[in-house]
Amino acid sequence: MPSPIPAVRTIKTYAVTPRPNPDAPRQLEMSAWDVPMLCPHYIQKGLLFAYPPDLSLEQIIQRLRSSLEEALFHFYPLSGRLRVVTCEGGGVTCHVEVGVEGEGAEFVHAVADGIGIADVVAADGQDLPDFLKEFFPLDLALNFDGCTSPLLVIQLTELKDGIFIGCVFNHAIGDGTSFWHFFDAFAEISRCKAVGKEVVLSRPPVHDKWFIGGYGEPPIKLPYSSPEEVVVRFSPPPLRERMFHFSSESLAKLKAKANSECGKGTISTFQALSALMWRCITRARGFPPEQKTSCRLAIQNRARLQPPLSPNYFGNSIYAAPTTTTAGELLNNNLGWAAWKAHEIVSNHTDSAIRDMVHKYMQNPIVYNLHMFDIHSVMMGSSPRFDMYGCDFGWGKALAARSGSANKFDGKVSAYPGWEGGGSVDLEVCLLPEYMSALEGDEEFLAVVSPPIKLEVLLGKSIK
């Protein structure tokens, strides 16, 4: 039975401004990892919950609004705006300005008429519903738009039997690690308020920016004559999007297979899974043997730098590192061969390699845009290590994590932790329709993918 046509209506939008933070500077510089992110979209991720017991809608809204205000006190860059300015003598620079009257984040209350939890989760074999994008404001906004739009918007969408909390977060301010750090703190504050406990964050953010020569270097100058030249907008082609579940047992077998085939014994579970997706998507696309193809892995810099950055470093600190071969070589060799190539790019991502990439960027700074992605490649984004289901607002574990339409293109694969934990993984796969149809019939892929967790199991175990 098809999902009902949604009508997501905005009921009210609230401005949210934190109390003054004496530690917050008026102007925040942006690093060599932040500036390139001006042209991708905002991050759009959110969590689905059963309707909180013993709370009225008004109480939910009030708690979330007051928790957001407190969260912004600690994560103060999100309450500001981007400033992109033309320099005397040419070029443009950018920074974050905090504490301007009339600016701040937003909280949106919306209603999805006729939409329930089952519609959001989607049954096995169904594509993700199109209405998910309506759970997130600032659809397809570029991070550059943070010059005039909020850097953070939270939308609470009422469903007929649950709620969805969507977070729209400017990607020039932080990466996925910072996104989920903020989301978790937002939830932690809500839990404290639920029991009248004083708010003391377990992981306060670290706002000192990292620069190649140390902290506090002058702003990065981009080679544009005006701020408008930075902007390159992107709208994805018609895509099919599906969530695929991989149980911990299935992934253990996949990892063992990859290590056995390559004879190394050092392939991680995620490297094996990335190799599987690269092989199966490349096969589904039907490329000729000579076609070059890459697999890009989003790799953290924080722990790899020497000395390492704090795990609570708030900002971007990530690279999408590629490994490349031809379609023929990828498919004529086995899974272990492809997994070893993925392993090599991770193991080679060292302090010196990171510093070399930053040095090269500083010599020729640019802004990335989504048209730059190679259409013959696969991009493995997000991470199953993000503690998405640990974001407990005081009314139990989320039923599902979902995303909007931002930063999606053919070949984008986003990893989520599986709901049941234990090392299970969910992959959100975005492909052109003909490629998705081919993937759904791929024998190597089907031998690893697992049945999803049933909705009645989610509902039975998520309400406190």
Side-chain angles (χ1 to χ4, degrees):
M1 182 177 177
S3 297
I5 298 173
V8 177
R9 297 179 290 112
T10 297
I11 304 302
K12 189 172 182 178
T13 299
Y14 304 84
V16 182
T17 305
R19 68 186 189 277
N21 186 327
D23 296 326
R26 181 65 177 254
Q27 180 172 313
L28 305 170
E29 300 297 346
M30 299 174 70
S31 76
W33 299 318
D34 300 325
V35 172
M37 300 304 293
L38 284 172
C39 264
H41 298 144
Y42 279 58
I43 301 174
Q44 296 179 326
K45 294 286 194 297
L47 297 172
L48 172 68
F49 294 91
Y51 199 91
D54 305 321
L55 285 176
S56 68
L57 178 64
E58 290 73 18
Q59 289 173 317
I60 295 170
I61 292 173
Q62 177 56 36
R63 187 195 295 178
L64 290 177
R65 286 178 58 198
S66 62
S67 299
L68 178 57
E69 183 177 320
E70 179 67 23
L72 289 171
F73 173 83
H74 301 278
F75 293 81
Y76 50 79
L78 293 169
S79 66
R81 293 290 185 275
L82 299 182
R83 300 290 186 244
V84 182
V85 297
T86 304
C87 305
E88 290 185 18
V92 298
T93 62
C94 45
H95 62 270
V96 181
E97 191 170 359
V98 178
V100 177
E101 186 176 352
E103 296 181 348
E106 286 184 350
F107 180 89
V108 179
H109 169 212
V111 175
D113 294 321
I115 299 298
I117 289 170
D119 302 309
V120 177
V121 172
D124 187 24
Q126 290 185 352
D127 289 4
L128 292 170
D130 290 339
F131 63 73
L132 285 175
K133 66 178 180 289
E134 299 186 52
F135 291 177
F136 300 92
L138 299 180
D139 189 41
L140 298 183
L142 301 183
N143 298 307
F144 179 91
D145 296 329
C147 293
T148 54
S149 297
L151 302 180
L152 178 80
V153 184
I154 300 294
Q155 179 169 309
L156 170 69
T157 303
E158 288 183 71
L159 310 175
K160 63 185 182 182
D161 54 356
I163 59 173
F164 188 92
I165 301 176
C167 181
V168 181
F169 177 108
N170 192 290
H171 208 331
I173 301 300
D175 54 18
T177 296
S178 292
F179 175 97
W180 288 107
H181 183 187
F182 166 79
F183 211 139
D184 182 66
F186 178 32
E188 182 180 21
I189 293 167
S190 175
R191 290 199 308 276
C192 290
K193 288 181 176 293
V195 296
K197 182 180 176 182
E198 181 185 1
V199 175
V200 179
L201 291 184
S202 58
R203 295 176 53 222
V206 174
H207 293 294
D208 294 329
K209 287 294 181 181
W210 186 88
F211 292 94
I212 191 68
Y215 293 97
E217 286 192 346
I220 295 167
K221 184 181 289 188
L222 293 166
Y224 303 103
S225 59
S226 70
E228 291 71 28
E229 287 188 18
V230 175
V231 177
V232 181
R233 298 198 178 273
F234 176 84
S235 295
L239 298 170
R240 286 186 60 194
E241 302 174 32
R242 281 195 60 183
M243 297 292 293
F244 293 101
H245 182 62
F246 298 84
S247 69
S248 56
E249 295 80 11
S250 179
L251 290 175
K253 293 176 182 177
L254 183 72
K255 177 182 177 180
K257 175 180 170 67
N259 277 293
S260 174
E261 289 178 350
C262 78
K264 304 289 186 179
T266 54
I267 303 298
S268 73
T269 298
F270 193 68
Q271 290 161 13
L273 183 58
S274 298
L276 174 78
M277 298 309 297
W278 187 21
R279 284 170 51 82
C280 295
I281 290 174
T282 299
R283 187 184 298 115
R285 286 167 161 169
F287 291 151
E290 67 276 10
Q291 176 61 58
K292 286 188 176 180
T293 177
S294 299
C295 180
R296 288 184 173 270
L297 301 181
I299 306 179
Q300 270 269 15
N301 300 329
R302 289 169 175 80
R304 290 179 169 84
L305 286 166
Q306 296 299 325
L309 294 179
S310 166
N312 300 329
Y313 175 86
F314 191 73
N316 287 283
S317 185
I318 198 166
Y319 280 114
T323 182
T324 304
T325 185
T326 64
E329 195 170 27
L330 177 64
L331 298 178
N332 288 335
N333 283 288
N334 56 28
L335 173 75
W337 183 88
W340 183 249
K341 289 188 70 68
H343 173 80
E344 285 183 317
I345 60 172
V346 175
S347 60
N348 291 336
H349 198 71
T350 60
D351 174 76
S352 60
I354 295 167
R355 291 175 184 273
D356 184 56
M357 285 187 280
V358 175
H359 274 298
K360 288 179 180 178
Y361 178 82
M362 295 297 289
Q363 293 167 6
N364 183 31
I366 62 169
V367 172
Y368 306 142
N369 69 73
L370 293 172
H371 294 278
M372 293 177 174
F373 182 75
D374 177 11
I375 61 172
H376 305 107
S377 299
V378 172
M379 172 68 202
M380 300 294 296
S382 191
S383 173
R385 294 183 178 181
F386 294 155
D387 188 21
M388 303 180 189
Y389 292 104
C391 294
D392 181 356
F393 287 82
W395 46 68
K397 182 177 175 180
L399 303 175
R402 292 291 184 265
S403 68
S405 57
N407 299 304
K408 290 182 175 176
F409 43 81
D410 176 47
K412 176 69 177 292
V413 180
S414 298
Y416 298 70
W419 180 87
E420 72 273 34
S424 60
V425 174
D426 290 332
L427 292 183
E428 177 191 72
V429 180
C430 302
L431 291 173
L432 293 175
E434 59 270 29
Y435 299 155
M436 184 67 83
S437 296
L439 179 68
E440 290 170 331
D442 187 275
E443 292 183 2
E444 183 181 9
F445 178 72
L446 293 176
V448 183
V449 72
S450 309
I453 304 298
K454 293 184 179 297
L455 180 59
E456 53 268 28
V457 175
L458 297 177
L459 291 171
K461 293 186 177 180
S462 291
I463 300 175
K464 288 183 176 178

